[in-house]
Amino acid sequence: MSKGCQVLSTKLVTNSECVTAYDKELDRLDVQLSNPPIVDKDTKFMFHCASKGVPRGYDDCAFFFWLHTFFVKNMRERMTREQLDNPHKEKTWKVWRENFSVEIVFDKPANSY
Protein backbone atom coordinates (compact mmCIF):
# COMPACT_ATOMS: atom_id res chain seq x y z
CA MET A 1 0.00 0.00 0.00
CA SER A 2 1.13 3.50 -0.74
CA LYS A 3 0.30 6.23 1.72
CA GLY A 4 -0.70 9.54 0.12
CA CYS A 5 0.25 8.40 -3.39
CA GLN A 6 -1.70 8.05 -6.59
CA VAL A 7 -2.28 4.36 -7.14
CA LEU A 8 -4.31 4.31 -10.35
CA SER A 9 -5.07 6.77 -13.12
CA THR A 10 -6.98 5.68 -16.20
CA LYS A 11 -8.70 7.33 -19.16
CA LEU A 12 -12.07 5.78 -19.82
CA VAL A 13 -12.15 6.59 -23.53
CA THR A 14 -8.83 5.27 -24.77
CA ASN A 15 -7.55 2.83 -22.20
CA SER A 16 -6.93 -0.89 -22.15
CA GLU A 17 -6.95 -0.90 -18.32
CA CYS A 18 -10.73 -0.79 -18.21
CA VAL A 19 -13.87 -1.78 -20.07
CA THR A 20 -16.73 0.71 -20.28
CA ALA A 21 -20.34 0.24 -21.30
CA TYR A 22 -22.95 2.99 -21.51
CA ASP A 23 -26.64 2.12 -21.28
CA LYS A 24 -28.50 5.05 -22.84
CA GLU A 25 -31.89 3.84 -21.66
CA LEU A 26 -30.78 3.76 -18.01
CA ASP A 27 -28.34 6.67 -18.46
CA ARG A 28 -25.71 4.50 -16.78
CA LEU A 29 -21.99 4.06 -17.36
CA ASP A 30 -20.40 0.84 -16.13
CA VAL A 31 -16.63 0.75 -15.74
CA GLN A 32 -14.75 -2.44 -15.00
CA LEU A 33 -11.05 -2.20 -14.24
CA SER A 34 -8.86 -4.90 -15.75
CA ASN A 35 -6.38 -4.85 -12.88
CA PRO A 36 -8.04 -2.99 -9.98
CA PRO A 37 -5.88 -1.75 -7.12
CA ILE A 38 -6.39 -3.03 -3.60
CA VAL A 39 -8.42 -0.49 -1.66
CA ASP A 40 -7.84 -0.48 2.09
CA LYS A 41 -8.85 1.94 4.84
CA ASP A 42 -9.28 5.63 3.93
CA THR A 43 -9.15 6.06 0.16
CA LYS A 44 -9.89 9.10 -1.97
CA PHE A 45 -11.49 8.55 -5.38
CA MET A 46 -11.15 11.47 -7.82
CA PHE A 47 -12.84 11.81 -11.19
CA HIS A 48 -11.49 14.28 -13.74
CA CYS A 49 -13.18 15.31 -16.96
CA ALA A 50 -11.72 17.21 -19.92
CA SER A 51 -15.15 18.32 -21.20
CA LYS A 52 -15.59 22.09 -20.80
CA GLY A 53 -19.25 21.65 -19.87
CA VAL A 54 -18.41 19.71 -16.72
CA PRO A 55 -17.74 22.04 -13.78
CA ARG A 56 -14.61 21.63 -11.71
CA GLY A 57 -14.80 22.31 -8.02
CA TYR A 58 -12.62 21.45 -5.08
CA ASP A 59 -9.39 19.67 -5.99
CA ASP A 60 -9.82 20.88 -9.59
CA CYS A 61 -11.85 17.81 -10.53
CA ALA A 62 -15.39 16.98 -11.61
CA PHE A 63 -16.13 15.10 -8.41
CA PHE A 64 -14.54 13.07 -5.65
CA PHE A 65 -15.31 11.19 -2.49
CA TRP A 66 -13.58 9.56 0.43
CA LEU A 67 -14.32 5.98 1.35
CA HIS A 68 -13.18 3.95 4.35
CA THR A 69 -13.31 0.23 3.69
CA PHE A 70 -14.39 -0.53 7.26
CA PHE A 71 -17.84 0.93 6.49
CA VAL A 72 -18.40 -0.91 3.19
CA LYS A 73 -21.22 -3.44 3.52
CA ASN A 74 -21.86 -6.38 1.16
CA MET A 75 -18.80 -5.48 -0.96
CA ARG A 76 -20.45 -2.38 -2.46
CA GLU A 77 -20.94 1.27 -1.69
CA ARG A 78 -23.37 3.64 -3.43
CA MET A 79 -23.25 7.41 -3.09
CA THR A 80 -25.90 9.82 -4.32
CA ARG A 81 -25.28 13.25 -5.78
CA GLU A 82 -25.69 14.79 -2.32
CA GLN A 83 -22.95 12.54 -0.90
CA LEU A 84 -20.39 13.38 -3.60
CA ASP A 85 -18.08 16.37 -3.32
CA ASN A 86 -18.78 18.99 -6.02
CA PRO A 87 -22.04 17.54 -7.48
CA HIS A 88 -23.77 18.20 -4.15
CA LYS A 89 -23.64 21.95 -4.89
CA GLU A 90 -26.82 23.34 -6.45
CA LYS A 91 -24.86 25.39 -9.01
CA THR A 92 -23.67 22.12 -10.65
CA TRP A 93 -27.10 20.49 -10.95
CA LYS A 94 -27.41 21.32 -14.67
CA VAL A 95 -24.70 18.69 -15.22
CA TRP A 96 -25.19 16.39 -12.22
CA ARG A 97 -28.88 15.55 -12.33
CA GLU A 98 -30.91 14.44 -9.31
CA ASN A 99 -30.48 10.72 -10.06
CA PHE A 100 -26.68 10.97 -10.44
CA SER A 101 -24.83 8.48 -8.25
CA VAL A 102 -21.67 6.41 -8.04
CA GLU A 103 -21.57 2.79 -6.99
CA ILE A 104 -18.33 0.99 -6.25
CA VAL A 105 -18.47 -2.81 -6.30
CA PHE A 106 -15.53 -4.57 -4.70
CA ASP A 107 -14.03 -8.03 -5.18
CA LYS A 108 -12.09 -9.73 -2.43
CA PRO A 109 -8.34 -9.73 -3.16
CA ALA A 110 -7.04 -13.11 -4.30
CA ASN A 111 -4.87 -13.47 -1.19
CA SER A 112 -7.64 -12.65 1.36
CA TYR A 113 -9.18 -15.16 3.72
Side-chain angles (χ1 to χ4, degrees):
M1 289 293 148
S2 300
K3 193 168 191 164
C5 297
Q6 179 175 314
V7 176
L8 174 71
S9 178
T10 186
K11 293 186 181 204
L12 300 181
V13 178
T14 60
N15 199 314
S16 62
E17 294 177 346
C18 64
V19 176
T20 61
Y22 178 67
D23 184 326
K24 189 174 182 176
E25 222 172 272
L26 295 174
D27 191 21
R28 182 170 115 178
L29 177 66
D30 289 327
V31 178
Q32 185 169 356
L33 299 176
S34 304
N35 189 18
I38 293 175
V39 177
D40 189 31
K41 299 184 178 105
D42 252 340
T43 304
K44 185 177 187 178
F45 294 79
M46 296 177 69
F47 295 81
H48 295 269
C49 182
S51 176
K52 291 182 181 184
V54 175
R56 293 181 187 171
Y58 293 120
D59 286 351
D60 195 32
C61 65
F63 64 93
F64 68 94
F65 59 89
W66 283 92
L67 183 72
H68 195 292
T69 55
F70 177 80
F71 299 106
V72 174
K73 302 295 182 223
N74 300 319
M75 300 299 290
R76 61 187 336 124
E77 186 69 29
R78 184 177 180 274
M79 287 144 292
T80 64
R81 176 180 73 178
E82 289 74 21
Q83 295 169 305
L84 299 167
D85 289 301
N86 294 339
H88 74 286
K89 297 176 188 172
E90 189 174 344
K91 66 183 181 181
T92 67
W93 290 358
K94 290 177 188 164
V95 173
W96 310 114
R97 296 183 295 272
E98 187 176 355
N99 64 342
F100 180 74
S101 65
V102 172
E103 183 175 36
I104 305 288
V105 180
F106 296 93
D107 286 330
K108 287 208 181 270
N111 61 354
S112 71
Y113 298 98

